[in-house]
PDB file of all heavy atoms in Angstrom:
ATOM      1  N   LEU A 100      20.487  29.521  14.483  1.00 96.00           N
ATOM      2  CA  LEU A 100      21.762  30.235  14.265  1.00 96.00           C
ATOM      3  C   LEU A 100      22.587  30.283  15.489  1.00 96.00           C
ATOM      4  O   LEU A 100      23.774  30.148  15.506  1.00 96.00           O
ATOM      5  CB  LEU A 100      21.426  31.595  13.645  1.00 96.00           C
ATOM      6  CG  LEU A 100      22.647  32.434  13.162  1.00 96.00           C
ATOM      7  CD1 LEU A 100      23.481  31.694  12.151  1.00 96.00           C
ATOM      8  CD2 LEU A 100      22.198  33.744  12.663  1.00 96.00           C
ATOM      9  N   THR A 104      26.525  29.078  16.342  1.00 92.00           N
ATOM     10  CA  THR A 104      27.621  29.951  16.656  1.00 92.00           C
ATOM     11  C   THR A 104      27.906  30.170  18.039  1.00 92.00           C
ATOM     12  O   THR A 104      29.030  30.569  18.444  1.00 92.00           O
ATOM     13  CB  THR A 104      27.245  31.424  16.087  1.00 92.00           C
ATOM     14  OG1 THR A 104      26.111  31.936  16.758  1.00 92.00           O
ATOM     15  CG2 THR A 104      26.953  31.339  14.580  1.00 92.00           C
ATOM     16  N   PRO A 107      25.574  35.769  20.614  1.00 92.00           N
ATOM     17  CA  PRO A 107      24.272  36.432  20.529  1.00 92.00           C
ATOM     18  C   PRO A 107      23.732  36.736  19.129  1.00 92.00           C
ATOM     19  O   PRO A 107      24.523  37.138  18.302  1.00 92.00           O
ATOM     20  CB  PRO A 107      24.549  37.794  21.309  1.00 92.00           C
ATOM     21  CG  PRO A 107      25.652  37.480  22.236  1.00 92.00           C
ATOM     22  CD  PRO A 107      26.531  36.529  21.431  1.00 92.00           C
ATOM     23  N   VAL A 108      22.500  36.403  18.871  1.00 95.00           N
ATOM     24  CA  VAL A 108      21.837  36.705  17.623  1.00 95.00           C
ATOM     25  C   VAL A 108      20.760  37.715  17.885  1.00 95.00           C
ATOM     26  O   VAL A 108      19.928  37.522  18.759  1.00 95.00           O
ATOM     27  CB  VAL A 108      21.273  35.446  16.999  1.00 95.00           C
ATOM     28  CG1 VAL A 108      20.528  35.756  15.719  1.00 95.00           C
ATOM     29  CG2 VAL A 108      22.365  34.372  16.736  1.00 95.00           C
ATOM     30  N   ASN A 109      20.765  38.764  17.124  1.00 95.00           N
ATOM     31  CA  ASN A 109      19.845  39.979  17.440  1.00 95.00           C
ATOM     32  C   ASN A 109      18.930  40.183  16.276  1.00 95.00           C
ATOM     33  O   ASN A 109      19.267  40.038  15.121  1.00 95.00           O
ATOM     34  CB  ASN A 109      20.740  41.206  17.627  1.00 95.00           C
ATOM     35  CG  ASN A 109      21.953  40.939  18.466  1.00 95.00           C
ATOM     36  OD1 ASN A 109      21.828  40.677  19.688  1.00 95.00           O
ATOM     37  ND2 ASN A 109      23.105  41.019  17.911  1.00 95.00           N
ATOM     38  N   THR A 146      25.951  50.819  13.878  1.00 97.00           N
ATOM     39  CA  THR A 146      25.545  49.404  13.988  1.00 97.00           C
ATOM     40  C   THR A 146      25.393  48.773  12.642  1.00 97.00           C
ATOM     41  O   THR A 146      25.132  49.401  11.654  1.00 97.00           O
ATOM     42  CB  THR A 146      24.178  49.310  14.695  1.00 97.00           C
ATOM     43  OG1 THR A 146      23.189  49.974  13.947  1.00 97.00           O
ATOM     44  CG2 THR A 146      24.184  49.897  16.139  1.00 97.00           C
ATOM     45  N   SER A 147      25.600  47.455  12.632  1.00 97.00           N
ATOM     46  CA  SER A 147      25.464  46.705  11.347  1.00 97.00           C
ATOM     47  C   SER A 147      24.088  46.801  10.765  1.00 97.00           C
ATOM     48  O   SER A 147      23.931  47.105   9.573  1.00 97.00           O
ATOM     49  CB  SER A 147      25.915  45.271  11.512  1.00 97.00           C
ATOM     50  OG  SER A 147      25.193  44.592  12.535  1.00 97.00           O
ATOM     51  N   VAL A 148      23.053  46.584  11.646  1.00 97.00           N
ATOM     52  CA  VAL A 148      21.676  46.669  11.108  1.00 97.00           C
ATOM     53  C   VAL A 148      21.351  48.055  10.693  1.00 97.00           C
ATOM     54  O   VAL A 148      20.684  48.295   9.658  1.00 97.00           O
ATOM     55  CB  VAL A 148      20.686  46.074  12.146  1.00 97.00           C
ATOM     56  CG1 VAL A 148      19.253  46.415  11.709  1.00 97.00           C
ATOM     57  CG2 VAL A 148      20.899  44.637  12.374  1.00 97.00           C
ATOM     58  N   LEU A 151      22.400  48.782   7.310  1.00 98.00           N
ATOM     59  CA  LEU A 151      21.552  48.190   6.276  1.00 98.00           C
ATOM     60  C   LEU A 151      20.450  49.222   5.900  1.00 98.00           C
ATOM     61  O   LEU A 151      20.153  49.439   4.715  1.00 98.00           O
ATOM     62  CB  LEU A 151      20.929  46.917   6.789  1.00 98.00           C
ATOM     63  CG  LEU A 151      21.880  45.690   6.887  1.00 98.00           C
ATOM     64  CD1 LEU A 151      21.114  44.582   7.660  1.00 98.00           C
ATOM     65  CD2 LEU A 151      22.267  45.231   5.498  1.00 98.00           C
ATOM     66  N   ILE A 196      25.426  42.739   2.950  1.00 96.00           N
ATOM     67  CA  ILE A 196      25.763  42.435   4.311  1.00 96.00           C
ATOM     68  C   ILE A 196      26.388  43.722   4.925  1.00 96.00           C
ATOM     69  O   ILE A 196      26.950  44.497   4.202  1.00 96.00           O
ATOM     70  CB  ILE A 196      26.789  41.271   4.364  1.00 96.00           C
ATOM     71  CG1 ILE A 196      26.860  40.660   5.738  1.00 96.00           C
ATOM     72  CG2 ILE A 196      28.159  41.692   3.880  1.00 96.00           C
ATOM     73  CD1 ILE A 196      25.759  39.681   6.029  1.00 96.00           C
ATOM     74  N   ALA A 197      26.235  43.897   6.177  1.00 98.00           N
ATOM     75  CA  ALA A 197      26.753  45.053   6.861  1.00 98.00           C
ATOM     76  C   ALA A 197      27.535  44.574   8.094  1.00 98.00           C
ATOM     77  O   ALA A 197      27.285  43.521   8.672  1.00 98.00           O
ATOM     78  CB  ALA A 197      25.619  46.021   7.296  1.00 98.00           C
ATOM     79  N   ARG A 198      28.506  45.387   8.519  1.00 97.00           N
ATOM     80  CA  ARG A 198      29.330  45.115   9.680  1.00 97.00           C
ATOM     81  C   ARG A 198      29.423  46.278  10.596  1.00 97.00           C
ATOM     82  O   ARG A 198      29.314  47.434  10.284  1.00 97.00           O
ATOM     83  CB  ARG A 198      30.731  44.726   9.146  1.00 97.00           C
ATOM     84  CG  ARG A 198      30.764  43.488   8.228  1.00 97.00           C
ATOM     85  CD  ARG A 198      32.191  43.332   7.711  1.00 97.00           C
ATOM     86  NE  ARG A 198      32.272  42.330   6.682  1.00 97.00           N
ATOM     87  CZ  ARG A 198      32.550  40.992   6.954  1.00 97.00           C
ATOM     88  NH1 ARG A 198      32.698  40.631   8.216  1.00 97.00           N
ATOM     89  NH2 ARG A 198      32.542  40.084   6.017  1.00 97.00           N
ATOM     90  N   ASP A 199      29.748  45.920  11.849  1.00 96.00           N
ATOM     91  CA  ASP A 199      30.048  46.863  12.931  1.00 96.00           C
ATOM     92  C   ASP A 199      31.420  46.456  13.386  1.00 96.00           C
ATOM     93  O   ASP A 199      31.589  45.372  14.078  1.00 96.00           O
ATOM     94  CB  ASP A 199      29.059  46.852  14.039  1.00 96.00           C
ATOM     95  CG  ASP A 199      29.477  47.512  15.320  1.00 96.00           C
ATOM     96  OD1 ASP A 199      30.613  48.152  15.332  1.00 96.00           O
ATOM     97  OD2 ASP A 199      28.837  47.293  16.337  1.00 96.00           O
ATOM     98  N   ASN A 200      32.426  47.214  13.126  1.00 95.00           N
ATOM     99  CA  ASN A 200      33.831  46.877  13.496  1.00 95.00           C
ATOM    100  C   ASN A 200      34.240  47.586  14.730  1.00 95.00           C
ATOM    101  O   ASN A 200      35.040  48.600  14.715  1.00 95.00           O
ATOM    102  CB  ASN A 200      34.814  47.193  12.351  1.00 95.00           C
ATOM    103  CG  ASN A 200      36.245  46.776  12.626  1.00 95.00           C
ATOM    104  OD1 ASN A 200      36.492  45.799  13.321  1.00 95.00           O
ATOM    105  ND2 ASN A 200      37.144  47.534  12.050  1.00 95.00           N
ATOM    106  N   VAL A 207      33.662  44.505  20.526  1.00 94.00           N
ATOM    107  CA  VAL A 207      32.460  43.828  19.993  1.00 94.00           C
ATOM    108  C   VAL A 207      32.332  44.091  18.444  1.00 94.00           C
ATOM    109  O   VAL A 207      32.355  45.245  18.073  1.00 94.00           O
ATOM    110  CB  VAL A 207      31.166  44.211  20.685  1.00 94.00           C
ATOM    111  CG1 VAL A 207      29.960  43.492  20.049  1.00 94.00           C
ATOM    112  CG2 VAL A 207      31.250  43.959  22.151  1.00 94.00           C
ATOM    113  N   ARG A 208      32.258  42.998  17.678  1.00 95.00           N
ATOM    114  CA  ARG A 208      32.043  43.108  16.264  1.00 95.00           C
ATOM    115  C   ARG A 208      30.742  42.428  15.911  1.00 95.00           C
ATOM    116  O   ARG A 208      30.298  41.528  16.582  1.00 95.00           O
ATOM    117  CB  ARG A 208      33.248  42.515  15.490  1.00 95.00           C
ATOM    118  CG  ARG A 208      34.545  43.250  15.682  1.00 95.00           C
ATOM    119  CD  ARG A 208      35.714  42.476  15.038  1.00 95.00           C
ATOM    120  NE  ARG A 208      35.473  42.277  13.639  1.00 95.00           N
ATOM    121  CZ  ARG A 208      35.927  41.130  12.988  1.00 95.00           C
ATOM    122  NH1 ARG A 208      36.527  40.202  13.618  1.00 95.00           N
ATOM    123  NH2 ARG A 208      35.703  41.013  11.660  1.00 95.00           N
ATOM    124  N   CYS A 209      30.123  42.879  14.827  1.00 96.00           N
ATOM    125  CA  CYS A 209      28.813  42.341  14.404  1.00 96.00           C
ATOM    126  C   CYS A 209      28.807  42.166  12.839  1.00 96.00           C
ATOM    127  O   CYS A 209      29.514  42.909  12.113  1.00 96.00           O
ATOM    128  CB  CYS A 209      27.664  43.215  14.784  1.00 96.00           C
ATOM    129  SG  CYS A 209      27.569  43.624  16.531  1.00 96.00           S
ATOM    130  N   MET A 210      27.961  41.325  12.391  1.00 97.00           N
ATOM    131  CA  MET A 210      27.660  41.202  10.951  1.00 97.00           C
ATOM    132  C   MET A 210      26.114  41.048  10.894  1.00 97.00           C
ATOM    133  O   MET A 210      25.531  40.386  11.721  1.00 97.00           O
ATOM    134  CB  MET A 210      28.367  40.010  10.279  1.00 97.00           C
ATOM    135  CG  MET A 210      28.147  38.672  10.954  1.00 97.00           C
ATOM    136  SD  MET A 210      28.943  37.225  10.067  1.00 97.00           S
ATOM    137  CE  MET A 210      30.712  37.649  10.155  1.00 97.00           C
ATOM    138  N   ALA A 211      25.548  41.630   9.826  1.00 98.00           N
ATOM    139  CA  ALA A 211      24.083  41.580   9.679  1.00 98.00           C
ATOM    140  C   ALA A 211      23.616  41.462   8.215  1.00 98.00           C
ATOM    141  O   ALA A 211      24.329  41.838   7.324  1.00 98.00           O
ATOM    142  CB  ALA A 211      23.532  42.952  10.275  1.00 98.00           C
ATOM    143  N   ALA A 212      22.440  40.893   8.101  1.00 98.00           N
ATOM    144  CA  ALA A 212      21.748  40.805   6.791  1.00 98.00           C
ATOM    145  C   ALA A 212      20.322  41.255   6.973  1.00 98.00           C
ATOM    146  O   ALA A 212      19.724  41.220   8.066  1.00 98.00           O
ATOM    147  CB  ALA A 212      21.825  39.402   6.316  1.00 98.00           C
ATOM    148  N   GLY A 213      19.754  41.770   5.918  1.00 97.00           N
ATOM    149  CA  GLY A 213      18.372  42.333   5.923  1.00 97.00           C
ATOM    150  C   GLY A 213      17.288  41.300   5.818  1.00 97.00           C
ATOM    151  O   GLY A 213      17.460  40.295   5.265  1.00 97.00           O
ATOM    152  N   GLY A 224      16.541  43.729  10.616  1.00 97.00           N
ATOM    153  CA  GLY A 224      17.840  43.178  10.340  1.00 97.00           C
ATOM    154  C   GLY A 224      18.219  42.117  11.351  1.00 97.00           C
ATOM    155  O   GLY A 224      17.809  42.113  12.523  1.00 97.00           O
ATOM    156  N   LEU A 225      18.931  41.073  10.843  1.00 97.00           N
ATOM    157  CA  LEU A 225      19.366  39.948  11.707  1.00 97.00           C
ATOM    158  C   LEU A 225      20.875  40.116  11.846  1.00 97.00           C
ATOM    159  O   LEU A 225      21.604  40.265  10.867  1.00 97.00           O
ATOM    160  CB  LEU A 225      19.041  38.641  11.047  1.00 97.00           C
ATOM    161  CG  LEU A 225      19.446  37.377  11.760  1.00 97.00           C
ATOM    162  CD1 LEU A 225      18.479  37.122  13.007  1.00 97.00           C
ATOM    163  CD2 LEU A 225      19.500  36.190  10.864  1.00 97.00           C
ATOM    164  N   SER A 226      21.381  40.010  13.073  1.00 96.00           N
ATOM    165  CA  SER A 226      22.856  40.227  13.281  1.00 96.00           C
ATOM    166  C   SER A 226      23.361  39.292  14.286  1.00 96.00           C
ATOM    167  O   SER A 226      22.650  38.789  15.128  1.00 96.00           O
ATOM    168  CB  SER A 226      23.151  41.639  13.658  1.00 96.00           C
ATOM    169  OG  SER A 226      22.577  41.941  14.960  1.00 96.00           O
ATOM    170  N   ILE A 227      24.630  38.935  14.189  1.00 95.00           N
ATOM    171  CA  ILE A 227      25.412  38.250  15.150  1.00 95.00           C
ATOM    172  C   ILE A 227      26.425  39.167  15.796  1.00 95.00           C
ATOM    173  O   ILE A 227      27.105  39.933  15.124  1.00 95.00           O
ATOM    174  CB  ILE A 227      26.199  37.054  14.530  1.00 95.00           C
ATOM    175  CG1 ILE A 227      25.215  35.968  14.109  1.00 95.00           C
ATOM    176  CG2 ILE A 227      27.194  36.488  15.586  1.00 95.00           C
ATOM    177  CD1 ILE A 227      25.915  34.727  13.550  1.00 95.00           C
ATOM    178  N   SER A 228      26.418  39.223  17.134  1.00 93.00           N
ATOM    179  CA  SER A 228      27.456  39.947  17.850  1.00 93.00           C
ATOM    180  C   SER A 228      28.427  39.011  18.534  1.00 93.00           C
ATOM    181  O   SER A 228      27.960  37.965  19.015  1.00 93.00           O
ATOM    182  CB  SER A 228      26.761  40.781  18.967  1.00 93.00           C
ATOM    183  OG  SER A 228      25.780  41.625  18.429  1.00 93.00           O
ATOM    184  N   ALA A 229      29.677  39.347  18.564  1.00 92.00           N
ATOM    185  CA  ALA A 229      30.681  38.419  19.124  1.00 92.00           C
ATOM    186  C   ALA A 229      31.911  39.260  19.605  1.00 92.00           C
ATOM    187  O   ALA A 229      32.082  40.368  19.105  1.00 92.00           O
ATOM    188  CB  ALA A 229      31.132  37.386  18.150  1.00 92.00           C
ATOM    189  N   ARG A 233      36.494  36.699  18.021  1.00 90.00           N
ATOM    190  CA  ARG A 233      35.733  35.447  17.856  1.00 90.00           C
ATOM    191  C   ARG A 233      34.774  35.450  16.697  1.00 90.00           C
ATOM    192  O   ARG A 233      34.140  34.383  16.428  1.00 90.00           O
ATOM    193  CB  ARG A 233      35.022  35.075  19.137  1.00 90.00           C
ATOM    194  CG  ARG A 233      35.979  34.763  20.302  1.00 90.00           C
ATOM    195  CD  ARG A 233      35.165  34.185  21.468  1.00 90.00           C
ATOM    196  NE  ARG A 233      35.904  34.221  22.705  1.00 90.00           N
ATOM    197  CZ  ARG A 233      35.364  33.877  23.878  1.00 90.00           C
ATOM    198  NH1 ARG A 233      34.115  33.456  23.937  1.00 90.00           N
ATOM    199  NH2 ARG A 233      36.076  33.936  24.964  1.00 90.00           N
ATOM    200  N   LEU A 234      34.593  36.591  16.075  1.00 92.00           N
ATOM    201  CA  LEU A 234      33.636  36.683  14.920  1.00 92.00           C
ATOM    202  C   LEU A 234      34.225  35.936  13.756  1.00 92.00           C
ATOM    203  O   LEU A 234      35.224  36.311  13.294  1.00 92.00           O
ATOM    204  CB  LEU A 234      33.290  38.126  14.598  1.00 92.00           C
ATOM    205  CG  LEU A 234      32.119  38.301  13.642  1.00 92.00           C
ATOM    206  CD1 LEU A 234      30.857  38.004  14.387  1.00 92.00           C
ATOM    207  CD2 LEU A 234      32.101  39.705  13.143  1.00 92.00           C
ATOM    208  N   GLU A 235      33.572  34.876  13.283  1.00 94.00           N
ATOM    209  CA  GLU A 235      34.050  34.069  12.220  1.00 94.00           C
ATOM    210  C   GLU A 235      33.497  34.374  10.917  1.00 94.00           C
ATOM    211  O   GLU A 235      32.241  34.489  10.811  1.00 94.00           O
ATOM    212  CB  GLU A 235      33.873  32.568  12.550  1.00 94.00           C
ATOM    213  CG  GLU A 235      34.571  32.116  13.842  1.00 94.00           C
ATOM    214  CD  GLU A 235      34.326  30.608  14.096  1.00 94.00           C
ATOM    215  OE1 GLU A 235      33.921  29.927  13.148  1.00 94.00           O
ATOM    216  OE2 GLU A 235      34.640  30.221  15.268  1.00 94.00           O
ATOM    217  N   GLU A 236      34.339  34.550   9.895  1.00 93.00           N
ATOM    218  CA  GLU A 236      33.791  34.859   8.514  1.00 93.00           C
ATOM    219  C   GLU A 236      32.901  33.727   8.000  1.00 93.00           C
ATOM    220  O   GLU A 236      32.079  33.990   7.149  1.00 93.00           O
ATOM    221  CB  GLU A 236      34.954  35.126   7.571  1.00 93.00           C
ATOM    222  CG  GLU A 236      35.648  36.413   7.863  1.00 93.00           C
ATOM    223  CD  GLU A 236      34.750  37.672   7.779  1.00 93.00           C
ATOM    224  OE1 GLU A 236      34.113  37.820   6.778  1.00 93.00           O
ATOM    225  OE2 GLU A 236      34.694  38.423   8.760  1.00 93.00           O
ATOM    226  N   SER A 237      33.140  32.506   8.480  1.00 93.00           N
ATOM    227  CA  SER A 237      32.376  31.339   7.935  1.00 93.00           C
ATOM    228  C   SER A 237      30.865  31.481   8.347  1.00 93.00           C
ATOM    229  O   SER A 237      30.003  30.848   7.799  1.00 93.00           O
ATOM    230  CB  SER A 237      32.951  30.039   8.548  1.00 93.00           C
ATOM    231  OG  SER A 237      32.860  30.093   9.952  1.00 93.00           O
ATOM    232  N   TRP A 238      30.589  32.430   9.329  1.00 95.00           N
ATOM    233  CA  TRP A 238      29.164  32.569   9.692  1.00 95.00           C
ATOM    234  C   TRP A 238      28.419  33.482   8.758  1.00 95.00           C
ATOM    235  O   TRP A 238      27.186  33.516   8.795  1.00 95.00           O
ATOM    236  CB  TRP A 238      29.097  33.202  11.139  1.00 95.00           C
ATOM    237  CG  TRP A 238      29.689  32.414  12.205  1.00 95.00           C
ATOM    238  CD1 TRP A 238      29.854  31.039  12.240  1.00 95.00           C
ATOM    239  CD2 TRP A 238      30.113  32.836  13.519  1.00 95.00           C
ATOM    240  NE1 TRP A 238      30.430  30.619  13.401  1.00 95.00           N
ATOM    241  CE2 TRP A 238      30.604  31.714  14.174  1.00 95.00           C
ATOM    242  CE3 TRP A 238      30.223  34.099  14.134  1.00 95.00           C
ATOM    243  CZ2 TRP A 238      31.134  31.800  15.503  1.00 95.00           C
ATOM    244  CZ3 TRP A 238      30.689  34.200  15.386  1.00 95.00           C
ATOM    245  CH2 TRP A 238      31.124  33.073  16.094  1.00 95.00           C
ATOM    246  N   LEU A 239      29.109  34.144   7.888  1.00 94.00           N
ATOM    247  CA  LEU A 239      28.479  35.109   7.042  1.00 94.00           C
ATOM    248  C   LEU A 239      27.394  34.531   6.172  1.00 94.00           C
ATOM    249  O   LEU A 239      26.274  35.094   6.104  1.00 94.00           O
ATOM    250  CB  LEU A 239      29.521  35.754   6.147  1.00 94.00           C
ATOM    251  CG  LEU A 239      29.161  37.066   5.408  1.00 94.00           C
ATOM    252  CD1 LEU A 239      28.762  38.148   6.342  1.00 94.00           C
ATOM    253  CD2 LEU A 239      30.376  37.522   4.566  1.00 94.00           C
ATOM    254  N   ASP A 240      27.635  33.430   5.543  1.00 95.00           N
ATOM    255  CA  ASP A 240      26.650  32.797   4.653  1.00 95.00           C
ATOM    256  C   ASP A 240      25.425  32.346   5.461  1.00 95.00           C
ATOM    257  O   ASP A 240      24.256  32.425   4.992  1.00 95.00           O
ATOM    258  CB  ASP A 240      27.243  31.617   3.922  1.00 95.00           C
ATOM    259  CG  ASP A 240      28.176  32.058   2.802  1.00 95.00           C
ATOM    260  OD1 ASP A 240      28.064  33.236   2.380  1.00 95.00           O
ATOM    261  OD2 ASP A 240      28.971  31.224   2.297  1.00 95.00           O
ATOM    262  N   ARG A 241      25.663  31.857   6.690  1.00 96.00           N
ATOM    263  CA  ARG A 241      24.499  31.412   7.541  1.00 96.00           C
ATOM    264  C   ARG A 241      23.666  32.577   7.940  1.00 96.00           C
ATOM    265  O   ARG A 241      22.466  32.480   8.101  1.00 96.00           O
ATOM    266  CB  ARG A 241      25.015  30.649   8.727  1.00 96.00           C
ATOM    267  CG  ARG A 241      25.503  29.251   8.402  1.00 96.00           C
ATOM    268  CD  ARG A 241      24.414  28.459   7.822  1.00 96.00           C
ATOM    269  NE  ARG A 241      23.296  28.199   8.722  1.00 96.00           N
ATOM    270  CZ  ARG A 241      23.190  27.172   9.529  1.00 96.00           C
ATOM    271  NH1 ARG A 241      24.081  26.190   9.513  1.00 96.00           N
ATOM    272  NH2 ARG A 241      22.108  27.046  10.321  1.00 96.00           N
ATOM    273  N   VAL A 242      24.249  33.697   8.244  1.00 97.00           N
ATOM    274  CA  VAL A 242      23.527  34.914   8.593  1.00 97.00           C
ATOM    275  C   VAL A 242      22.595  35.322   7.438  1.00 97.00           C
ATOM    276  O   VAL A 242      21.411  35.612   7.593  1.00 97.00           O
ATOM    277  CB  VAL A 242      24.466  36.109   8.945  1.00 97.00           C
ATOM    278  CG1 VAL A 242      23.607  37.395   9.179  1.00 97.00           C
ATOM    279  CG2 VAL A 242      25.201  35.793  10.260  1.00 97.00           C
ATOM    280  N   LYS A 243      23.204  35.317   6.214  1.00 97.00           N
ATOM    281  CA  LYS A 243      22.414  35.657   5.079  1.00 97.00           C
ATOM    282  C   LYS A 243      21.298  34.677   4.739  1.00 97.00           C
ATOM    283  O   LYS A 243      20.148  35.077   4.411  1.00 97.00           O
ATOM    284  CB  LYS A 243      23.357  35.766   3.868  1.00 97.00           C
ATOM    285  CG  LYS A 243      24.316  37.000   3.935  1.00 97.00           C
ATOM    286  CD  LYS A 243      25.373  36.998   2.786  1.00 97.00           C
ATOM    287  CE  LYS A 243      24.708  37.442   1.512  1.00 97.00           C
ATOM    288  NZ  LYS A 243      25.738  37.651   0.458  1.00 97.00           N
TER     289      LYS A 243
END
Side-chain angles (χ1 to χ4, degrees):
L100 185 58
T104 64
V108 177
N109 317 291
T146 61
S147 55
V148 170
L151 288 170
I196 198 80
R198 300 174 186 270
D199 162 12
N200 183 30
V207 178
R208 294 170 59 210
C209 305
M210 55 176 61
L225 180 78
S226 64
I227 289 182
S228 305
R233 295 190 194 175
L234 191 71
E235 298 182 14
E236 290 301 306
S237 61
W238 297 339
L239 194 58
D240 287 341
R241 286 300 297 265
V242 173
K243 292 175 74 172

